[in-house]
Amino acid sequence: MNKTELIEKIAAGSGLSKADSKKALDATVAAIKDALVAGDKVALVGFGTFSINERPAREGINPANKQKIQIPAKKVAKFKAGAELNDAIN
């Protein structure tokens, strides 16, 4: 499912227009992004939790020439599905 299909599903399920559904989806995604940038967790009960995970610096190998390279530390977005979502999938 892509963004356009998701907007159509939101519009059908909520009774909103597609334009309003797009605005709502964009605002939701922006709010989640802003919270993660600020270092906060976003927990949606029954759906899951978005959080930031820090990966430490490590040593890797360049597959092209087999030389060792240093991979810098970085932050990555993480999603952990909630119990209700896991139950619905399984």
Side-chain angles (χ1 to χ4, degrees), residues 29-60:
V29 170
I32 293 171
K33 178 182 165 188
D34 292 344
L36 292 176
V37 168
D40 296 333
K41 284 185 178 181
V42 179
L44 303 173
V45 177
F47 183 69
T49 303
F50 296 92
S51 61
I52 294 293
N53 201 14
E54 293 194 27
R55 290 189 179 165
R58 64 190 195 278
E59 197 173 81

Side-chain angles (χ1 to χ4, degrees), residues 3 6 42 46 48 50 54 58 60 64 68 70 74-75 82-86:
K3 186 176 179 180
L6 180 58
V42 179
F50 296 92
E54 293 194 27
R58 64 190 195 278
K68 290 185 179 182
Q70 192 62 30
K74 70 177 186 175
K75 295 178 181 177
E84 289 181 32
L85 179 58
N86 278 331

Side-chain angles (χ1 to χ4, degrees), residues 63-79:
N65 57 21
K66 308 296 185 218
Q67 290 181 341
K68 290 185 179 182
I69 57 172
Q70 192 62 30
I71 301 169
K74 70 177 186 175
K75 295 178 181 177
V76 294
K78 178 181 164 186
F79 176 75

Side-chain angles (χ1 to χ4, degrees), residues 14-38:
S14 67
L16 296 173
S17 68
K18 286 184 185 178
D20 288 340
S21 296
K22 182 181 184 316
K23 289 178 188 175
L25 178 61
D26 289 343
T28 302
V29 170
I32 293 171
K33 178 182 165 188
D34 292 344
L36 292 176
V37 168

Side-chain angles (χ1 to χ4, degrees), residues 1-7:
M1 176 180 289
N2 62 29
K3 186 176 179 180
T4 304
E5 293 168 342
L6 180 58
I7 290 169

